[in-house]
Amino acid sequence: MPLSTHVSTASGQTRLLAEGSRLVFGRGPDVDLIVAAGRGLSRRAGMVTMLAAGAWIADISRTHALYVEGEGYQVRLPRMEDDEEPANGWFVRTGTALVGSRAMLDEGQSLVVAVTLASEAVPRGAGRKDRAQPAGAGLTGAGLTGAGPTGAGLADEVRRTDVLDLVNGSGQTEVEDAESAGAGTLLPFYLDPMTKLFLVALIWCRPWLLDPSATRPLPRTPEIARGALEVTGAYHELERFDADPDYRDLLAARVAEHIKVLRRKIADRGLAAADVRLSDEVAVRILIEHGIITSADLSRLDDPAWRSRQEDLWWTQG
């Protein structure tokens, strides 16, 4: 039977996540679920990704700590890495987990992430009575070690009980990762809208978001660079871009590096078979089909606050 994931706030807001969807929460305003909390919680604090096997919770803040708590454990999640994407998190197979800043947990104001069979109801406040047990896969590269069995016994334990795992983003423990090496494990792939990488991906995908028949040609790196100038309002640079080949090549090279990162992330997450060449068309199709870039993201192009933030990223911060 399929799983269902509900994310609830202390004030009673509840969001239901479908498989393959993700929810960003924080103090807002540029989040999917605004949480009324003090400054101990980041404006963009965390992300919940719903997979077929359960829910993956990650900290997407570089400045604030985020915790996951259940019966007999409290874990601090690793903060966002420099490559603008969370690499580690807490995986909820079934059961409930409390999520928030330390103050939110202490004051009973945490979010509740509940993963149940689709037919089961999820009462608010069930977080401290779940059957989940922490399984000791360890947190790769984060300097933490989970409690519980290790080695081959862990894989057996994972298969026979509802558990919470501290994992490397795949929704699998390290033992399971080793067992399924080369099997094309699907990892969560999230692009933070407040990054240059996201803008490049959005401009790259824009023709096919506007034309689902995918007959429009995709922009190449110089066209994406020009699009970034337009989106960020750098009109004073457009004339130079069109007239100065060296400047045009410089910006196109920067965009090419972002495209290279997007291709690497697609490959690392197993979203394309190892023998598939990630052409522009293949990569863009993957970004759209997996909901990494969506038609709803096009509205950001008309959002002055988002465009201003992108302007700062591209032309102020270098």
Side-chain angles (χ1 to χ4, degrees):
M1 184 175 291
L3 297 174
S4 174
T5 294
H6 295 76
V7 181
S8 304
T9 67
S11 62
Q13 298 182 76
T14 300
R15 298 287 187 273
L16 173 64
L17 273 65
E19 181 180 335
S21 65
R22 63 175 183 258
L23 177 143
V24 176
F25 63 87
R27 289 190 293 117
D30 188 29
V31 294
D32 303 310
L33 181 61
I34 297 177
V35 181
R39 293 185 177 276
L41 186 73
S42 179
R43 295 170 68 85
R44 291 175 60 80
M47 176 182 67
V48 181
T49 301
M50 181 57 187
L51 305 174
W56 187 69
I57 307 168
D59 185 351
I60 61 172
S61 172
R62 292 188 178 86
T63 58
H64 292 67
L66 194 66
Y67 296 84
V68 178
E69 181 180 285
E71 189 66 36
Y73 68 89
Q74 184 182 95
V75 174
R76 176 174 172 172
L77 298 177
R79 295 176 184 172
M80 179 85 85
E81 295 186 348
D82 291 338
D83 65 355
E84 302 173 345
E85 185 177 351
N88 303 287
W90 190 258
F91 192 74
V92 184
R93 296 180 183 276
T94 59
T96 34
L98 308 181
V99 183
S101 66
R102 187 179 295 276
M104 290 171 63
L105 294 174
D106 291 345
E107 297 168 7
Q109 299 297 307
S110 61
L111 275 72
V112 174
V113 177
V115 182
T116 66
L117 296 178
S119 60
E120 295 181 4
V122 182
R124 170 71 197 180
R128 297 185 185 276
K129 298 182 176 63
D130 64 85
R131 295 181 293 119
Q133 300 293 328
L139 181 60
T140 304
L144 292 175
T145 302
T150 59
L154 172 60
D156 294 335
E157 186 72 13
V158 166
R159 282 191 288 269
R160 70 171 180 262
T161 186
D162 298 333
V163 295
L164 296 179
D165 292 330
L166 201 56
V167 297
N168 62 6
S170 66
Q172 294 178 302
T173 65
E174 290 175 338
V175 171
E176 291 173 302
D177 278 335
E179 292 176 341
S180 62
T185 301
L186 178 63
L187 309 184
F189 184 175
Y190 168 73
L191 292 179
D192 187 344
M194 298 303 183
T195 61
K196 290 186 285 187
L197 188 63
F198 182 92
L199 176 57
V200 168
L202 180 57
I203 295 175
W204 200 20
C205 295
R206 178 166 53 180
W208 286 8
L209 292 174
L210 294 170
D211 175 20
S213 67
T215 57
R216 295 189 184 185
L218 296 174
R220 304 309 176 188
T221 52
E223 297 169 298
I224 296 173
R226 196 178 201 284
L229 288 170
E230 294 172 345
V231 169
T232 58
Y235 299 108
H236 57 288
E237 298 289 347
L238 282 172
E239 184 176 346
R240 180 185 175 191
F241 181 86
D242 292 334
D244 185 344
D246 291 337
Y247 182 61
R248 182 167 59 251
D249 290 346
L250 174 63
L251 294 187
R254 291 181 183 176
V255 168
E257 288 301 313
H258 288 297
I259 295 294
K260 186 184 299 183
V261 170
L262 288 168
R263 286 196 171 99
R264 174 176 60 79
K265 290 180 181 295
I266 288 171
D268 288 349
R269 270 125 185 95
L271 301 183
D275 59 348
V276 171
R277 187 178 75 86
L278 285 176
S279 65
D280 287 7
E281 290 73 20
V282 170
V284 166
R285 176 58 64 196
I286 289 172
L287 291 173
I288 293 175
E289 288 185 348
H290 287 271
I292 299 160
I293 298 292
T294 71
S295 56
D297 291 320
L298 291 172
S299 64
R300 299 182 188 276
L301 298 173
D302 298 317
D303 180 353
W306 181 78
R307 292 177 61 162
S308 177
R309 172 57 177 160
Q310 286 290 339
E311 181 180 4
D312 289 342
L313 289 172
W314 282 84
W315 316 117
T316 302
Q317 299 181 11

